Amino acid sequence: MQCELKELNMNMGKLEYEMYQDIPVKESGSTNLCNGLPYEVFKNYLESQMARKYQITSYYDTKVITYIMYVNGLPVGYIGLRFDIDDNWRKWSGNFYYAMGLCTGDVVFLAILLMAILALGRLLKIMTVFS
């Protein structure tokens, strides 16, 4: 099994779009705003999510980098890593969220996804991971 993480980017296309459609609107405590969007506006969605990397932390949102997880070349889920959180975000949500497609909701994939979250946290020098 080959696993890979890719930061969200404008080169993502139909496979990633279909993955987002396979993830319910409410999954693992996060909201999948892409579910139900037509493919024609998928690039707009990607752009809005990529812009969150530069967001000013507030009551409503915080800086987030989104990564897509691929297993054997196919997208299976995403990780949102919040790298600038305040005390409220620590209490409410922590510094990461994740979601996986229904057809890939396998315990093995979930374990790999959680290991990837911890590895990303170390790379970004997040010393404590809050969930």
Side-chain angles (χ1 to χ4, degrees), residues 50-66:
M50 290 167 47
R52 294 179 71 203
K53 185 176 184 175
Y54 308 102
Q55 183 95 357
I56 294 173
T57 299
S58 70
Y59 182 83
Y60 300 102
D61 207 356
T62 188
K63 293 180 181 181
V64 175
I65 301 175
T66 302

Side-chain angles (χ1 to χ4, degrees), residues 1 3 22 27-28 69 71-72 76-77 98-115:
M1 182 183 317
C3 301
D22 191 43
E27 173 70 7
S28 304
M69 180 180 164
V71 175
N72 296 330
V76 297
Y98 65 91
M100 294 180 61
L102 293 175
C103 65
T104 57
D106 185 305
V107 174
V108 173
F109 291 157
L110 181 57
I112 293 168
L113 193 62
L114 292 174
M115 286 188 297

Side-chain angles (χ1 to χ4, degrees), residues 39-102:
Y39 182 68
E40 295 74 36
V41 297
F42 182 57
K43 295 293 184 185
N44 296 342
Y45 173 78
L46 290 175
E47 190 172 34
S48 71
Q49 294 305 297
M50 290 167 47
R52 294 179 71 203
K53 185 176 184 175
Y54 308 102
Q55 183 95 357
I56 294 173
T57 299
S58 70
Y59 182 83
Y60 300 102
D61 207 356
T62 188
K63 293 180 181 181
V64 175
I65 301 175
T66 302
Y67 296 88
I68 303 296
M69 180 180 164
Y70 296 81
V71 175
N72 296 330
L74 296 174
V76 297
Y78 62 85
I79 300 168
L81 194 59
R82 298 179 184 105
F83 59 96
D84 181 29
I85 61 173
D86 58 20
D87 288 339
N88 288 325
W89 283 96
R90 277 187 193 86
K91 287 188 289 189
W92 295 333
S93 306
N95 48 9
F96 73 91
Y97 58 89
Y98 65 91
M100 294 180 61
L102 293 175

